[in-house]
Amino acid sequence: MKKTWISLLTAGLLGVMSQSALASPELIDKVLAVVNKDVVLASQQEALVNKIKFSAKESGQALPDDVTLRKQALDRLIQESLQLQLADRQGLKISDTQLEQAINSIAADNKMNLEQLRAQLDREGISYAQYREEVRREILMNEVRRNQIRRRINISDQEVKQVVQALQKQGQQQQEFHVGHIQIALPDNPSAEQLNAAKAKIDSLLKRLRNGADFRELAIAESNGPKALEGGDWGWMSPQEMPTLMADAVQGAKKGDIVGPLRSGAGLHIVKVFDAKGIQQVVQTEVKARHILIKPSIILSEEKAKGMLDGFLHDIKSGKADFAALAEKYSEDPGSAVQGGELGWSDPNVYVPEFRDMVNRLQPGQYSEPFRTSHGWHLVQLEERRSQDATDKAQEQRAYQLIYNRRFVEESQAWLDELRDEAYIRIEGASS
C-alpha cells in the first residue's frame, strides 16, 4: 500500500522544491479507514464512485446523493480489503500469465480482442495497468471466497433426492426470476430499539417503492446487502438457486411485485421481481473432456510448466505423441491420469471458472492452448458435447449443483459478516 503522506523533505534535499514548501508537508491522499493492517484511501473511494457514476450514466440509472454513494463505496472497499488481506495471509498469488489469460477470456466473452478491449478502456478513462490490477484483485477475492465457503457447505444425499423429485415433478421445467433485494442489517441479538428502528426504516422504504420510487436507486442508497452498489440486482435465478428467503418470496409472484418486509437472522428484507420468465424447458449441456495437469513448484517454474504443455501440444498435433499416454505419464491429477486424462461427462459448472470457460469455448475435437487455473497449468481437449440426458445420475448432478449454488450465496454473506466482526476497523472520516 502506498504511503498516504509524502514528506516534501526528500524532494527539498534533491533541490527541486523551495524552502517554503519544506515548511508545509502536502497532503496528496487521505486515509478514510484503517482495516486491520491496511488502509482505505480517499483516492480508492473516488475511483470506485467514478466507476459507479459512469456505469449509471451508461445505463440511465439514477443515483443517490454523493454522501450516501461515498458511504456505500467505503463499505465495499472495507469488505474488499478484508478479503484481499486474507488472500495474502493464505499466500494466494495470481501470476501475470494467469492474469493475462483471464483478461483475454473477458475480452472473448465480450466478443472483443485485446486491442478492442484496451480501446474501450481508453474511452472509459481507465488505464490498462489500472484495469489489470482490478482484475487481479477480483480473481484473488473470488479464489479466497471459494476456498473459505466451500468448507462451510455440506449437502446430504436426502437433500439431493428431494430436489431430484422436485425437478422430476416439474418435468425438467422451471421458472426464472430477475430479482432485486434490499437489506436493512440487524445485529445477532438486536435490542427492541434497534429492531423498531429497522422496522421503521423498512416500512418507509416500502412506502416509497409503492409510491413509484426507483428500486435500484434506493438499494444503492439504503441497502446493507451484498449487491447494494449494483442496485440490489441479483440477476436471473431459478428458485432452487436463490437463498431460501428469496425463493419463498417469489413463489407465485409476477413481474413488478414487491415482497416484504421479510425477516432473517441477517436483518429485514425487501424483494422485487423485476421480471419473470414463463415456464420453459431447461436444457443443460454436458461436456466430455480430458486434460493434462502440470503443477508449478519450487523446482518447476511457471514458465517451465507452461513450456512442458506447449511441447506436449506440438507433439500431439504432429502425431509424435498420444494424449492419453502423456496424461498417464505426466499429469498430476491422479484421478484422471490413470484414465488417460479422461474426466467423463460433466456439467461445465462443476469446474473452476477458468476451466469451465475454456471447455465452453472449445469445439469437439479441439485442443486448448496451455492455460492456468488455481490447480496449475492445463492442456485440455474437448471430446464431445451433448444435451443433458435423463439418467438418474445426471439429475443428481443437476440437483447437487442447484443446492450448492443456493448455499454458496447464503454462506457468502454470513462469511463476510464474520470476517468483518473479527476485524479491527476504524473509520477516520468521510471524503467530502
Side-chain angles (χ1 to χ4, degrees), residues 56-68:
K57 184 178 179 181
E58 290 285 294
S59 61
Q61 172 62 49
L63 290 174
D65 62 84
D66 259 22
V67 172
T68 301

Side-chain angles (χ1 to χ4, degrees), residues 3 6 30 95 98 111 190 202 238 261 266 270 276 295 310-311 325 336 352 374 421:
K3 294 180 181 177
I6 293 183
K30 180 181 179 183
S95 69
Q98 191 175 354
K111 297 180 173 56
I202 207 92
S238 69
I270 300 170
K295 296 181 179 181
D310 281 327
S336 68
V352 293
S374 55
D421 289 343

Side-chain angles (χ1 to χ4, degrees), residues 305-426:
K306 179 179 182 296
M308 281 182 66
L309 292 179
D310 281 327
F312 292 166
L313 181 59
H314 177 270
D315 290 347
I316 291 166
K317 287 184 173 180
S318 65
K320 292 180 181 178
D322 176 69
F323 192 109
L326 289 172
E328 288 178 20
K329 185 174 181 179
Y330 295 104
S331 181
E332 296 181 74
D333 176 7
S336 68
V338 293
Q339 305 293 330
E342 292 289 348
L343 295 167
W345 286 103
S346 294
D347 176 350
N349 293 309
V350 303
Y351 299 127
V352 293
E354 301 89 348
F355 200 100
R356 174 201 65 204
D357 294 343
M358 182 59 72
V359 296
N360 281 338
R361 284 199 298 270
L362 293 174
Q363 297 302 313
Q366 188 178 9
Y367 297 99
S368 72
E369 293 294 324
F371 66 101
R372 186 72 156 83
T373 74
S374 55
H375 299 298
W377 284 91
H378 304 258
L379 176 65
V380 174
Q381 183 187 28
L382 177 64
E383 297 177 285
E384 297 180 65
R385 181 180 281 115
R386 71 181 182 188
S387 297
Q388 181 187 17
D389 63 15
T391 63
D392 291 341
K393 183 179 179 181
Q395 286 187 334
E396 287 173 5
Q397 288 176 340
R398 171 69 172 157
Y400 182 93
Q401 194 62 45
L402 287 169
I403 297 169
Y404 184 89
N405 291 347
R406 169 183 283 189
R407 293 279 175 80
F408 192 92
V409 170
E410 292 174 337
E411 291 292 340
S412 290
Q413 188 59 46
W415 171 70
L416 286 170
D417 290 343
E418 289 170 16
L419 195 61
R420 186 158 185 156
D421 289 343
E422 294 166 1
Y424 171 76
I425 299 171
R426 186 175 77 244

Side-chain angles (χ1 to χ4, degrees), residues 27 29-32 41-43 45-47 49-50 53 65-71 74 428-432:
L27 179 65
D29 209 339
K30 180 181 179 183
V31 174
L32 297 184
L41 304 175
S43 59
Q45 183 195 52
E46 190 69 22
V49 167
N50 288 339
K53 287 181 175 179
D65 62 84
D66 259 22
V67 172
T68 301
L69 187 57
R70 289 174 184 278
K71 180 180 178 297
L74 177 59
E428 297 288 358
S431 176
S432 60

Side-chain angles (χ1 to χ4, degrees), residues 135-275:
V135 174
R136 192 193 298 272
R137 288 195 298 271
E138 281 296 324
I139 297 172
L140 274 173
M141 287 189 291
N142 286 337
E143 193 67 29
V144 74
R145 191 159 52 238
R146 262 200 316 273
N147 290 345
Q148 293 297 306
I149 295 170
R150 194 162 41 203
R151 303 171 188 170
R152 302 165 67 112
I153 298 175
N154 294 302
I155 300 172
S156 69
D157 291 343
Q158 183 59 35
E159 290 175 289
V160 172
K161 287 177 182 176
Q162 288 174 348
V163 174
V164 166
Q165 289 170 358
L167 291 173
Q168 289 172 338
K169 187 178 291 186
Q170 294 170 359
Q172 292 300 306
Q173 295 176 335
Q174 64 183 35
Q175 196 167 14
E176 286 193 336
F177 297 87
H178 182 190
V179 290
H181 170 247
I182 292 174
Q183 174 185 331
I184 302 303
L186 282 169
D188 287 339
N189 296 298
S191 65
E193 185 180 355
Q194 289 171 323
L195 188 56
N196 288 335
K199 285 180 177 177
K201 186 170 185 178
I202 207 92
D203 287 342
S204 172
L205 293 177
L206 277 168
K207 183 177 180 180
R208 290 167 67 185
L209 288 169
R210 285 168 178 152
N211 286 334
D214 185 303
F215 185 95
R216 291 180 172 87
E217 184 179 354
L218 279 187
I220 294 170
E222 305 290 354
S223 179
N224 306 122
K227 301 285 187 180
L229 284 179
E230 289 76 36
D233 192 339
W234 283 62
W236 286 95
M237 304 174 78
S238 69
Q240 290 90 347
E241 293 171 298
M242 295 176 187
T244 305
L245 176 137
M246 195 178 288
D248 292 342
V250 301
Q251 291 301 315
K254 60 185 183 299
K255 180 178 178 179
D257 282 357
I258 296 171
V259 185
L262 307 168
R263 175 77 188 271
S264 78
L268 302 178
H269 309 259
I270 300 170
V271 174
K272 177 169 182 176
V273 179
F274 292 132
D275 205 352

Side-chain angles (χ1 to χ4, degrees), residues 104-115:
N104 281 318
S105 179
I106 292 169
D109 289 343
N110 286 279
K111 297 180 173 56
M112 297 181 186
N113 58 35
L114 191 56
E115 289 307 312

